[in-house]
Amino acid sequence: MNALFLAFSYLRYHWARSLVLVLVAALIMFVPVATQTLLSTSERALVARGEATPLLLGSRGSQLDLTMAALYFSDERPDPVAMREVESVWDSGLGVPIPVHTAFSSSGFRIVGTTLDYFDFRALTPADGRGLSILGDAVIGSDVASALGKGVGDTLVSAPENLFDLDGVYPLEMPIVGVLAPTNTADDQAIFVDIKTAWVIQGIGHGHEDVVTAADVAAGTAALANAAVVQYQRITEDNIDSFHFHGSQDDFPASAVIVVPNDTRSNTILKGRYLDSDLPTQMIEPAGVIQGLVDRIFRIKSLLDVVTAIIAVAAAAAVGLAVFLSYRLRARELGTAVKLGAQKGMVLKLLAAETVTLLLLAGSIAAIGAAIVSRNAEAWVGWLLALGS
């Protein structure tokens, strides 16, 4: 106890040097643990999202781009798939197709046009407000609400993908009718609208002001319609009935289609129908695509472990050298203690007590840091994955 008291008093007196040693030692212990925790959580998060999505239907091309766009709402833009493919799956009776349209964004967050089946499939529930009800409604993820400081009653405006777009695509103001409960997935970073709303943003559907009114007809001053007809930028109760779509809905686009088979047999049949490489569409299993991506990413994990170990050894050696030099500088002090009657064993106990105290303090700080990382790992990883996508 005497040795511990003297050791603590010495460390407190030389608090600046002791603090540096404690922090360096804490980092040596904390960094490998935190890195492993975040890496393992990232791997689980990536794989879980893929495993929760049985099948994915899209245009033939890069399976990774298709998966990232449909599951993580990334910036990848796979070729669109026609809605007739959705009807084909419905008609087969083998599963439930859920189209997703991810071509547009607002305030830096992806606008996801889909159907109500998506909310049931992902078990998404509003923490505030309600779900999608009419054309133009928007339901936002929890991260979107936090980042933008918006909630039910506020509005969002879609951003054009190209400032020089001459196709007549107008920004659409969308009222926020609900905020989803957090899920620590990409859904927290998304703005959900009905897929028809996404088509309105794309310019496939729109509403017009009345060109000829009853008063104009009565007065004989009816105007002729031309290209100057004003398109609405907001869908309201007064103009919603004027919104309409041009062309056949079978030809309207979706970025991808999530397919939920009825059973294992239906899963096998559906995959078999899209094996022909000459078809313009493909049916993939996102779990396999994500696992392949994870395997490639975490192939460098072993190298990272080696680098971390080397850095830890070097840092530990530096701390050891600092402690050794500190003891060398105290040689006269320790010699005086011996001359005053302190036994050499007591001196060793004093030095050991100082070292143990340093390590205990460093270990406590590292443990607290590791606990904080472990508790928030899922939320941080979800945010980083959404940010990276």
mmCIF file of all heavy atoms in Angstrom, residues 39-89:
data_model
loop_
_atom_site.group_PDB
_atom_site.id
_atom_site.type_symbol
_atom_site.label_atom_id
_atom_site.label_comp_id
_atom_site.label_asym_id
_atom_site.label_seq_id
_atom_site.Cartn_x
_atom_site.Cartn_y
_atom_site.Cartn_z
ATOM 1 N N LEU A 39 -15.002 -3.362 -37.938
ATOM 2 C CA LEU A 39 -14.915 -4.229 -39.111
ATOM 3 C C LEU A 39 -15.925 -5.369 -39.039
ATOM 4 O O LEU A 39 -16.609 -5.669 -40.023
ATOM 5 C CB LEU A 39 -13.494 -4.785 -39.247
ATOM 6 C CG LEU A 39 -12.423 -3.812 -39.750
ATOM 7 C CD1 LEU A 39 -11.049 -4.477 -39.719
ATOM 8 C CD2 LEU A 39 -12.738 -3.333 -41.155
ATOM 9 N N SER A 40 -16.021 -6.002 -37.891
ATOM 10 C CA SER A 40 -16.965 -7.115 -37.753
ATOM 11 C C SER A 40 -18.405 -6.622 -37.856
ATOM 12 O O SER A 40 -19.261 -7.286 -38.455
ATOM 13 C CB SER A 40 -16.742 -7.833 -36.422
ATOM 14 O OG SER A 40 -16.911 -6.946 -35.327
ATOM 15 N N THR A 41 -18.685 -5.448 -37.303
ATOM 16 C CA THR A 41 -20.035 -4.879 -37.411
ATOM 17 C C THR A 41 -20.357 -4.509 -38.850
ATOM 18 O O THR A 41 -21.479 -4.722 -39.321
ATOM 19 C CB THR A 41 -20.167 -3.643 -36.509
ATOM 20 O OG1 THR A 41 -19.852 -3.996 -35.155
ATOM 21 C CG2 THR A 41 -21.581 -3.091 -36.556
ATOM 22 N N SER A 42 -19.380 -3.962 -39.562
ATOM 23 C CA SER A 42 -19.576 -3.626 -40.978
ATOM 24 C C SER A 42 -19.883 -4.868 -41.793
ATOM 25 O O SER A 42 -20.785 -4.863 -42.651
ATOM 26 C CB SER A 42 -18.321 -2.934 -41.526
ATOM 27 O OG SER A 42 -18.042 -1.752 -40.831
ATOM 28 N N GLU A 43 -19.144 -5.924 -41.529
ATOM 29 C CA GLU A 43 -19.370 -7.169 -42.271
ATOM 30 C C GLU A 43 -20.769 -7.703 -42.008
ATOM 31 O O GLU A 43 -21.477 -8.106 -42.930
ATOM 32 C CB GLU A 43 -18.314 -8.204 -41.872
ATOM 33 C CG GLU A 43 -18.412 -9.502 -42.651
ATOM 34 C CD GLU A 43 -17.279 -10.455 -42.318
ATOM 35 O OE1 GLU A 43 -16.476 -10.136 -41.420
ATOM 36 O OE2 GLU A 43 -17.200 -11.521 -42.952
ATOM 37 N N ARG A 44 -21.184 -7.702 -40.754
ATOM 38 C CA ARG A 44 -22.523 -8.195 -40.419
ATOM 39 C C ARG A 44 -23.606 -7.332 -41.052
ATOM 40 O O ARG A 44 -24.610 -7.844 -41.556
ATOM 41 C CB ARG A 44 -22.712 -8.231 -38.899
ATOM 42 C CG ARG A 44 -21.921 -9.312 -38.190
ATOM 43 C CD ARG A 44 -22.471 -9.535 -36.785
ATOM 44 N NE ARG A 44 -22.487 -8.307 -36.002
ATOM 45 C CZ ARG A 44 -21.480 -7.896 -35.247
ATOM 46 N NH1 ARG A 44 -20.363 -8.612 -35.188
ATOM 47 N NH2 ARG A 44 -21.570 -6.780 -34.544
ATOM 48 N N ALA A 45 -23.405 -6.013 -41.029
ATOM 49 C CA ALA A 45 -24.415 -5.109 -41.589
ATOM 50 C C ALA A 45 -24.565 -5.310 -43.092
ATOM 51 O O ALA A 45 -25.680 -5.328 -43.620
ATOM 52 C CB ALA A 45 -24.047 -3.663 -41.277
ATOM 53 N N LEU A 46 -23.432 -5.427 -43.782
ATOM 54 C CA LEU A 46 -23.475 -5.628 -45.228
ATOM 55 C C LEU A 46 -24.170 -6.933 -45.584
ATOM 56 O O LEU A 46 -25.061 -6.982 -46.441
ATOM 57 C CB LEU A 46 -22.061 -5.605 -45.802
ATOM 58 C CG LEU A 46 -21.403 -4.230 -45.970
ATOM 59 C CD1 LEU A 46 -19.924 -4.401 -46.272
ATOM 60 C CD2 LEU A 46 -22.085 -3.436 -47.064
ATOM 61 N N VAL A 47 -23.771 -8.001 -44.932
ATOM 62 C CA VAL A 47 -24.318 -9.322 -45.255
ATOM 63 C C VAL A 47 -25.790 -9.411 -44.872
ATOM 64 O O VAL A 47 -26.602 -9.999 -45.596
ATOM 65 C CB VAL A 47 -23.487 -10.422 -44.555
ATOM 66 C CG1 VAL A 47 -24.138 -11.789 -44.754
ATOM 67 C CG2 VAL A 47 -22.063 -10.429 -45.092
ATOM 68 N N ALA A 48 -26.152 -8.817 -43.719
ATOM 69 C CA ALA A 48 -27.537 -8.908 -43.257
ATOM 70 C C ALA A 48 -28.495 -8.247 -44.245
ATOM 71 O O ALA A 48 -29.584 -8.769 -44.503
ATOM 72 C CB ALA A 48 -27.661 -8.254 -41.884
ATOM 73 N N ARG A 49 -28.121 -7.111 -44.793
ATOM 74 C CA ARG A 49 -28.978 -6.416 -45.758
ATOM 75 C C ARG A 49 -29.188 -7.274 -47.005
ATOM 76 O O ARG A 49 -30.289 -7.321 -47.563
ATOM 77 C CB ARG A 49 -28.348 -5.077 -46.133
ATOM 78 C CG ARG A 49 -29.168 -4.191 -47.054
ATOM 79 C CD ARG A 49 -30.265 -3.471 -46.324
ATOM 80 N NE ARG A 49 -30.849 -2.416 -47.159
ATOM 81 C CZ ARG A 49 -31.881 -1.684 -46.804
ATOM 82 N NH1 ARG A 49 -32.458 -1.886 -45.633
ATOM 83 N NH2 ARG A 49 -32.355 -0.743 -47.605
ATOM 84 N N GLY A 50 -28.121 -7.936 -47.447
ATOM 85 C CA GLY A 50 -28.236 -8.805 -48.609
ATOM 86 C C GLY A 50 -29.061 -10.043 -48.323
ATOM 87 O O GLY A 50 -29.899 -10.453 -49.130
ATOM 88 N N GLU A 51 -28.841 -10.651 -47.143
ATOM 89 C CA GLU A 51 -29.578 -11.862 -46.798
ATOM 90 C C GLU A 51 -31.058 -11.592 -46.588
ATOM 91 O O GLU A 51 -31.884 -12.489 -46.748
ATOM 92 C CB GLU A 51 -28.974 -12.487 -45.544
ATOM 93 C CG GLU A 51 -27.585 -13.085 -45.764
ATOM 94 C CD GLU A 51 -26.995 -13.662 -44.497
ATOM 95 O OE1 GLU A 51 -27.525 -13.330 -43.402
ATOM 96 O OE2 GLU A 51 -26.022 -14.434 -44.581
ATOM 97 N N ALA A 52 -31.390 -10.348 -46.219
ATOM 98 C CA ALA A 52 -32.797 -10.008 -45.998
ATOM 99 C C ALA A 52 -33.540 -9.742 -47.295
ATOM 100 O O ALA A 52 -34.755 -9.543 -47.277
ATOM 101 C CB ALA A 52 -32.894 -8.772 -45.093
ATOM 102 N N THR A 53 -32.837 -9.747 -48.425
ATOM 103 C CA THR A 53 -33.446 -9.501 -49.736
ATOM 104 C C THR A 53 -33.290 -10.757 -50.581
ATOM 105 O O THR A 53 -32.195 -11.024 -51.089
ATOM 106 C CB THR A 53 -32.770 -8.306 -50.435
ATOM 107 O OG1 THR A 53 -32.726 -7.188 -49.542
ATOM 108 C CG2 THR A 53 -33.524 -7.920 -51.696
ATOM 109 N N PRO A 54 -34.346 -11.549 -50.747
ATOM 110 C CA PRO A 54 -34.215 -12.851 -51.421
ATOM 111 C C PRO A 54 -33.710 -12.763 -52.853
ATOM 112 O O PRO A 54 -32.708 -13.376 -53.210
ATOM 113 C CB PRO A 54 -35.635 -13.428 -51.362
ATOM 114 C CG PRO A 54 -36.325 -12.665 -50.282
ATOM 115 C CD PRO A 54 -35.717 -11.301 -50.273
ATOM 116 N N LEU A 55 -34.423 -11.984 -53.687
ATOM 117 C CA LEU A 55 -34.078 -11.898 -55.107
ATOM 118 C C LEU A 55 -34.177 -10.454 -55.568
ATOM 119 O O LEU A 55 -34.916 -9.644 -55.003
ATOM 120 C CB LEU A 55 -35.009 -12.765 -55.949
ATOM 121 C CG LEU A 55 -34.952 -14.284 -55.734
ATOM 122 C CD1 LEU A 55 -36.052 -14.972 -56.536
ATOM 123 C CD2 LEU A 55 -33.593 -14.843 -56.126
ATOM 124 N N LEU A 56 -33.419 -10.158 -56.624
ATOM 125 C CA LEU A 56 -33.407 -8.811 -57.188
ATOM 126 C C LEU A 56 -33.474 -8.929 -58.702
ATOM 127 O O LEU A 56 -32.660 -9.619 -59.324
ATOM 128 C CB LEU A 56 -32.138 -8.081 -56.755
ATOM 129 C CG LEU A 56 -32.134 -6.551 -56.876
ATOM 130 C CD1 LEU A 56 -33.263 -5.949 -56.063
ATOM 131 C CD2 LEU A 56 -30.799 -6.016 -56.393
ATOM 132 N N LEU A 57 -34.435 -8.241 -59.286
ATOM 133 C CA LEU A 57 -34.629 -8.257 -60.733
ATOM 134 C C LEU A 57 -34.245 -6.894 -61.295
ATOM 135 O O LEU A 57 -34.643 -5.858 -60.771
ATOM 136 C CB LEU A 57 -36.091 -8.575 -61.053
ATOM 137 C CG LEU A 57 -36.530 -8.511 -62.528
ATOM 138 C CD1 LEU A 57 -35.795 -9.556 -63.357
ATOM 139 C CD2 LEU A 57 -38.045 -8.693 -62.634
ATOM 140 N N GLY A 58 -33.448 -6.927 -62.366
ATOM 141 C CA GLY A 58 -33.037 -5.675 -62.990
ATOM 142 C C GLY A 58 -32.514 -5.898 -64.385
ATOM 143 O O GLY A 58 -32.466 -7.030 -64.882
ATOM 144 N N SER A 59 -32.111 -4.816 -65.020
ATOM 145 C CA SER A 59 -31.543 -4.933 -66.362
ATOM 146 C C SER A 59 -30.205 -5.657 -66.296
ATOM 147 O O SER A 59 -29.460 -5.536 -65.315
ATOM 148 C CB SER A 59 -31.359 -3.547 -66.973
ATOM 149 O OG SER A 59 -32.605 -2.938 -67.189
ATOM 150 N N ARG A 60 -29.909 -6.379 -67.351
ATOM 151 C CA ARG A 60 -28.658 -7.133 -67.367
ATOM 152 C C ARG A 60 -27.478 -6.173 -67.430
ATOM 153 O O ARG A 60 -27.468 -5.215 -68.179
ATOM 154 C CB ARG A 60 -28.641 -8.086 -68.563
ATOM 155 C CG ARG A 60 -27.536 -9.137 -68.503
ATOM 156 C CD ARG A 60 -27.784 -10.232 -69.515
ATOM 157 N NE ARG A 60 -29.000 -10.970 -69.216
ATOM 158 C CZ ARG A 60 -29.070 -11.982 -68.340
ATOM 159 N NH1 ARG A 60 -27.973 -12.348 -67.677
ATOM 160 N NH2 ARG A 60 -30.212 -12.617 -68.133
ATOM 161 N N GLY A 61 -26.490 -6.442 -66.608
ATOM 162 C CA GLY A 61 -25.314 -5.580 -66.496
ATOM 163 C C GLY A 61 -24.578 -5.914 -65.221
ATOM 164 O O GLY A 61 -24.545 -7.077 -64.792
ATOM 165 N N SER A 62 -24.000 -4.911 -64.595
ATOM 166 C CA SER A 62 -23.247 -5.117 -63.375
ATOM 167 C C SER A 62 -24.180 -5.509 -62.234
ATOM 168 O O SER A 62 -25.072 -4.753 -61.845
ATOM 169 C CB SER A 62 -22.481 -3.844 -63.007
ATOM 170 O OG SER A 62 -21.911 -3.966 -61.718
ATOM 171 N N GLN A 63 -23.959 -6.703 -61.681
ATOM 172 C CA GLN A 63 -24.770 -7.149 -60.554
ATOM 173 C C GLN A 63 -24.495 -6.312 -59.311
ATOM 174 O O GLN A 63 -25.398 -6.042 -58.512
ATOM 175 C CB GLN A 63 -24.493 -8.626 -60.267
ATOM 176 C CG GLN A 63 -24.922 -9.566 -61.371
ATOM 177 C CD GLN A 63 -24.754 -11.038 -60.988
ATOM 178 O OE1 GLN A 63 -24.274 -11.361 -59.902
ATOM 179 N NE2 GLN A 63 -25.158 -11.918 -61.878
ATOM 180 N N LEU A 64 -23.255 -5.880 -59.146
ATOM 181 C CA LEU A 64 -22.903 -5.078 -57.977
ATOM 182 C C LEU A 64 -23.585 -3.713 -58.029
ATOM 183 O O LEU A 64 -24.128 -3.244 -57.022
ATOM 184 C CB LEU A 64 -21.388 -4.913 -57.887
ATOM 185 C CG LEU A 64 -20.878 -4.105 -56.690
ATOM 186 C CD1 LEU A 64 -21.333 -4.742 -55.382
ATOM 187 C CD2 LEU A 64 -19.362 -3.988 -56.727
ATOM 188 N N ASP A 65 -23.573 -3.054 -59.196
ATOM 189 C CA ASP A 65 -24.239 -1.757 -59.331
ATOM 190 C C ASP A 65 -25.730 -1.884 -59.055
ATOM 191 O O ASP A 65 -26.332 -1.030 -58.389
ATOM 192 C CB ASP A 65 -24.020 -1.190 -60.736
ATOM 193 C CG ASP A 65 -22.598 -0.688 -60.939
ATOM 194 O OD1 ASP A 65 -21.838 -0.649 -59.955
ATOM 195 O OD2 ASP A 65 -22.243 -0.364 -62.090
ATOM 196 N N LEU A 66 -26.322 -2.951 -59.572
ATOM 197 C CA LEU A 66 -27.749 -3.176 -59.368
ATOM 198 C C LEU A 66 -28.055 -3.376 -57.885
ATOM 199 O O LEU A 66 -29.006 -2.794 -57.345
ATOM 200 C CB LEU A 66 -28.198 -4.401 -60.174
ATOM 201 C CG LEU A 66 -29.671 -4.813 -60.040
ATOM 202 C CD1 LEU A 66 -30.575 -3.712 -60.563
ATOM 203 C CD2 LEU A 66 -29.928 -6.128 -60.787
ATOM 204 N N THR A 67 -27.232 -4.172 -57.224
ATOM 205 C CA THR A 67 -27.442 -4.451 -55.805
ATOM 206 C C THR A 67 -27.251 -3.201 -54.959
ATOM 207 O O THR A 67 -28.060 -2.914 -54.061
ATOM 208 C CB THR A 67 -26.477 -5.552 -55.336
ATOM 209 O OG1 THR A 67 -26.697 -6.743 -56.108
ATOM 210 C CG2 THR A 67 -26.681 -5.867 -53.863
ATOM 211 N N MET A 68 -26.195 -2.442 -55.221
ATOM 212 C CA MET A 68 -25.928 -1.249 -54.424
ATOM 213 C C MET A 68 -27.019 -0.203 -54.614
ATOM 214 O O MET A 68 -27.402 0.496 -53.669
ATOM 215 C CB MET A 68 -24.569 -0.668 -54.799
ATOM 216 C CG MET A 68 -23.391 -1.573 -54.477
ATOM 217 S SD MET A 68 -23.283 -2.016 -52.725
ATOM 218 C CE MET A 68 -22.871 -0.439 -51.998
ATOM 219 N N ALA A 69 -27.524 -0.075 -55.838
ATOM 220 C CA ALA A 69 -28.574 0.918 -56.088
ATOM 221 C C ALA A 69 -29.882 0.525 -55.420
ATOM 222 O O ALA A 69 -30.596 1.382 -54.881
ATOM 223 C CB ALA A 69 -28.784 1.079 -57.596
ATOM 224 N N ALA A 70 -30.215 -0.764 -55.433
ATOM 225 C CA ALA A 70 -31.500 -1.211 -54.906
ATOM 226 C C ALA A 70 -31.495 -1.383 -53.397
ATOM 227 O O ALA A 70 -32.509 -1.146 -52.738
ATOM 228 C CB ALA A 70 -31.893 -2.533 -55.565
ATOM 229 N N LEU A 71 -30.360 -1.795 -52.816
ATOM 230 C CA LEU A 71 -30.308 -2.078 -51.385
ATOM 231 C C LEU A 71 -29.769 -0.919 -50.565
ATOM 232 O O LEU A 71 -30.219 -0.698 -49.429
ATOM 233 C CB LEU A 71 -29.453 -3.325 -51.119
ATOM 234 C CG LEU A 71 -30.186 -4.671 -51.133
ATOM 235 C CD1 LEU A 71 -30.785 -4.954 -52.500
ATOM 236 C CD2 LEU A 71 -29.240 -5.790 -50.721
ATOM 237 N N TYR A 72 -28.804 -0.186 -51.141
ATOM 238 C CA TYR A 72 -28.156 0.889 -50.378
ATOM 239 C C TYR A 72 -28.410 2.271 -50.984
ATOM 240 O O TYR A 72 -27.876 3.256 -50.475
ATOM 241 C CB TYR A 72 -26.656 0.614 -50.289
ATOM 242 C CG TYR A 72 -26.345 -0.695 -49.606
ATOM 243 C CD1 TYR A 72 -26.062 -1.829 -50.345
ATOM 244 C CD2 TYR A 72 -26.371 -0.795 -48.219
ATOM 245 C CE1 TYR A 72 -25.809 -3.038 -49.721
ATOM 246 C CE2 TYR A 72 -26.110 -1.998 -47.592
ATOM 247 C CZ TYR A 72 -25.827 -3.122 -48.355
ATOM 248 O OH TYR A 72 -25.583 -4.318 -47.740
ATOM 249 N N PHE A 73 -29.213 2.328 -52.060
ATOM 250 C CA PHE A 73 -29.587 3.596 -52.682
ATOM 251 C C PHE A 73 -28.352 4.435 -53.010
ATOM 252 O O PHE A 73 -28.284 5.629 -52.717
ATOM 253 C CB PHE A 73 -30.533 4.369 -51.771
ATOM 254 C CG PHE A 73 -31.614 3.525 -51.156
ATOM 255 C CD1 PHE A 73 -31.910 3.604 -49.806
ATOM 256 C CD2 PHE A 73 -32.336 2.635 -51.938
ATOM 257 C CE1 PHE A 73 -32.905 2.825 -49.242
ATOM 258 C CE2 PHE A 73 -33.337 1.842 -51.378
ATOM 259 C CZ PHE A 73 -33.610 1.947 -50.025
ATOM 260 N N SER A 74 -27.380 3.785 -53.614
ATOM 261 C CA SER A 74 -26.118 4.426 -53.944
ATOM 262 C C SER A 74 -26.267 5.293 -55.184
ATOM 263 O O SER A 74 -27.347 5.381 -55.784
ATOM 264 C CB SER A 74 -25.032 3.370 -54.176
ATOM 265 O OG SER A 74 -25.346 2.583 -55.309
ATOM 266 N N ASP A 75 -25.163 5.917 -55.578
ATOM 267 C CA ASP A 75 -25.178 6.789 -56.754
ATOM 268 C C ASP A 75 -25.091 6.011 -58.066
ATOM 269 O O ASP A 75 -25.175 6.611 -59.141
ATOM 270 C CB ASP A 75 -24.016 7.782 -56.690
ATOM 271 C CG ASP A 75 -24.195 8.788 -55.565
ATOM 272 O OD1 ASP A 75 -25.355 9.048 -55.202
ATOM 273 O OD2 ASP A 75 -23.186 9.296 -55.051
ATOM 274 N N GLU A 76 -24.882 4.693 -57.993
ATOM 275 C CA GLU A 76 -24.853 3.898 -59.220
ATOM 276 C C GLU A 76 -26.204 3.998 -59.931
ATOM 277 O O GLU A 76 -27.258 4.002 -59.288
ATOM 278 C CB GLU A 76 -24.553 2.432 -58.906
ATOM 279 C CG GLU A 76 -23.079 2.121 -58.707
ATOM 280 C CD GLU A 76 -22.571 2.536 -57.341
ATOM 281 O OE1 GLU A 76 -23.419 2.835 -56.470
ATOM 282 O OE2 GLU A 76 -21.347 2.589 -57.132
ATOM 283 N N ARG A 77 -26.148 4.069 -61.253
ATOM 284 C CA ARG A 77 -27.371 4.203 -62.046
ATOM 285 C C ARG A 77 -27.478 3.046 -63.033
ATOM 286 O O ARG A 77 -27.129 3.182 -64.208
ATOM 287 C CB ARG A 77 -27.365 5.541 -62.788
ATOM 288 C CG ARG A 77 -27.389 6.770 -61.901
ATOM 289 C CD ARG A 77 -28.765 6.983 -61.296
ATOM 290 N NE ARG A 77 -29.742 7.248 -62.331
ATOM 291 C CZ ARG A 77 -29.992 8.460 -62.814
ATOM 292 N NH1 ARG A 77 -29.338 9.507 -62.347
ATOM 293 N NH2 ARG A 77 -30.908 8.633 -63.746
ATOM 294 N N PRO A 78 -27.955 1.887 -62.584
ATOM 295 C CA PRO A 78 -28.130 0.778 -63.533
ATOM 296 C C PRO A 78 -29.204 1.129 -64.552
ATOM 297 O O PRO A 78 -30.069 1.982 -64.304
ATOM 298 C CB PRO A 78 -28.579 -0.379 -62.625
ATOM 299 C CG PRO A 78 -29.195 0.282 -61.444
ATOM 300 C CD PRO A 78 -28.422 1.550 -61.233
ATOM 301 N N ASP A 79 -29.125 0.477 -65.690
ATOM 302 C CA ASP A 79 -30.159 0.701 -66.704
ATOM 303 C C ASP A 79 -31.524 0.358 -66.126
ATOM 304 O O ASP A 79 -31.677 -0.643 -65.405
ATOM 305 C CB ASP A 79 -29.885 -0.164 -67.932
ATOM 306 C CG ASP A 79 -28.631 0.282 -68.673
ATOM 307 O OD1 ASP A 79 -28.265 1.465 -68.542
ATOM 308 O OD2 ASP A 79 -28.016 -0.560 -69.364
ATOM 309 N N PRO A 80 -32.536 1.170 -66.410
ATOM 310 C CA PRO A 80 -33.863 0.925 -65.822
ATOM 311 C C PRO A 80 -34.495 -0.353 -66.362
ATOM 312 O O PRO A 80 -34.185 -0.805 -67.472
ATOM 313 C CB PRO A 80 -34.661 2.165 -66.228
ATOM 314 C CG PRO A 80 -33.953 2.692 -67.443
ATOM 315 C CD PRO A 80 -32.505 2.370 -67.253
ATOM 316 N N VAL A 81 -35.365 -0.916 -65.559
ATOM 317 C CA VAL A 81 -36.132 -2.093 -65.963
ATOM 318 C C VAL A 81 -37.584 -1.652 -66.119
ATOM 319 O O VAL A 81 -38.089 -0.842 -65.345
ATOM 320 C CB VAL A 81 -35.997 -3.225 -64.921
ATOM 321 C CG1 VAL A 81 -36.468 -2.765 -63.548
ATOM 322 C CG2 VAL A 81 -36.754 -4.459 -65.360
ATOM 323 N N ALA A 82 -38.253 -2.154 -67.144
ATOM 324 C CA ALA A 82 -39.629 -1.737 -67.427
ATOM 325 C C ALA A 82 -40.595 -2.350 -66.422
ATOM 326 O O ALA A 82 -40.388 -3.458 -65.916
ATOM 327 C CB ALA A 82 -40.016 -2.141 -68.843
ATOM 328 N N MET A 83 -41.663 -1.630 -66.141
ATOM 329 C CA MET A 83 -42.650 -2.098 -65.172
ATOM 330 C C MET A 83 -43.397 -3.345 -65.655
ATOM 331 O O MET A 83 -44.049 -4.023 -64.848
ATOM 332 C CB MET A 83 -43.643 -0.976 -64.880
ATOM 333 C CG MET A 83 -43.076 0.140 -64.025
ATOM 334 S SD MET A 83 -42.659 -0.398 -62.346
ATOM 335 C CE MET A 83 -44.295 -0.717 -61.669
ATOM 336 N N ARG A 84 -43.300 -3.662 -66.926
ATOM 337 C CA ARG A 84 -43.931 -4.894 -67.393
ATOM 338 C C ARG A 84 -43.302 -6.115 -66.717
ATOM 339 O O ARG A 84 -43.967 -7.151 -66.572
ATOM 340 C CB ARG A 84 -43.824 -5.001 -68.906
ATOM 341 C CG ARG A 84 -42.424 -5.179 -69.447
ATOM 342 C CD ARG A 84 -42.455 -5.544 -70.929
ATOM 343 N NE ARG A 84 -43.188 -4.554 -71.690
ATOM 344 C CZ ARG A 84 -42.636 -3.467 -72.227
ATOM 345 N NH1 ARG A 84 -41.338 -3.235 -72.065
ATOM 346 N NH2 ARG A 84 -43.347 -2.601 -72.917
ATOM 347 N N GLU A 85 -42.032 -5.975 -66.298
ATOM 348 C CA GLU A 85 -41.386 -7.078 -65.592
ATOM 349 C C GLU A 85 -42.020 -7.285 -64.213
ATOM 350 O O GLU A 85 -42.095 -8.406 -63.716
ATOM 351 C CB GLU A 85 -39.893 -6.806 -65.450
ATOM 352 C CG GLU A 85 -39.137 -6.661 -66.763
ATOM 353 C CD GLU A 85 -39.105 -7.961 -67.548
ATOM 354 O OE1 GLU A 85 -39.344 -9.033 -66.942
ATOM 355 O OE2 GLU A 85 -38.850 -7.909 -68.773
ATOM 356 N N VAL A 86 -42.476 -6.195 -63.613
ATOM 357 C CA VAL A 86 -43.177 -6.309 -62.335
ATOM 358 C C VAL A 86 -44.490 -7.063 -62.528
ATOM 359 O O VAL A 86 -44.834 -7.966 -61.759
ATOM 360 C CB VAL A 86 -43.436 -4.909 -61.739
ATOM 361 C CG1 VAL A 86 -44.267 -5.002 -60.461
ATOM 362 C CG2 VAL A 86 -42.119 -4.202 -61.461
ATOM 363 N N GLU A 87 -45.214 -6.692 -63.574
ATOM 364 C CA GLU A 87 -46.478 -7.360 -63.859
ATOM 365 C C GLU A 87 -46.261 -8.831 -64.191
ATOM 366 O O GLU A 87 -47.089 -9.687 -63.850
ATOM 367 C CB GLU A 87 -47.200 -6.654 -65.017
ATOM 368 C CG GLU A 87 -47.607 -5.218 -64.703
ATOM 369 C CD GLU A 87 -48.506 -5.127 -63.494
ATOM 370 O OE1 GLU A 87 -49.352 -6.024 -63.301
ATOM 371 O OE2 GLU A 87 -48.349 -4.164 -62.713
ATOM 372 N N SER A 88 -45.137 -9.131 -64.831
ATOM 373 C CA SER A 88 -44.826 -10.518 -65.172
ATOM 374 C C SER A 88 -44.664 -11.365 -63.919
ATOM 375 O O SER A 88 -45.142 -12.503 -63.850
ATOM 376 C CB SER A 88 -43.557 -10.574 -66.029
ATOM 377 O OG SER A 88 -43.199 -11.907 -66.309
ATOM 378 N N VAL A 89 -43.985 -10.808 -62.917
ATOM 379 C CA VAL A 89 -43.813 -11.554 -61.664
ATOM 380 C C VAL A 89 -45.161 -11.709 -60.953
ATOM 381 O O VAL A 89 -45.480 -12.777 -60.417
ATOM 382 C CB VAL A 89 -42.793 -10.845 -60.755
ATOM 383 C CG1 VAL A 89 -42.707 -11.544 -59.404
ATOM 384 C CG2 VAL A 89 -41.424 -10.813 -61.411
#
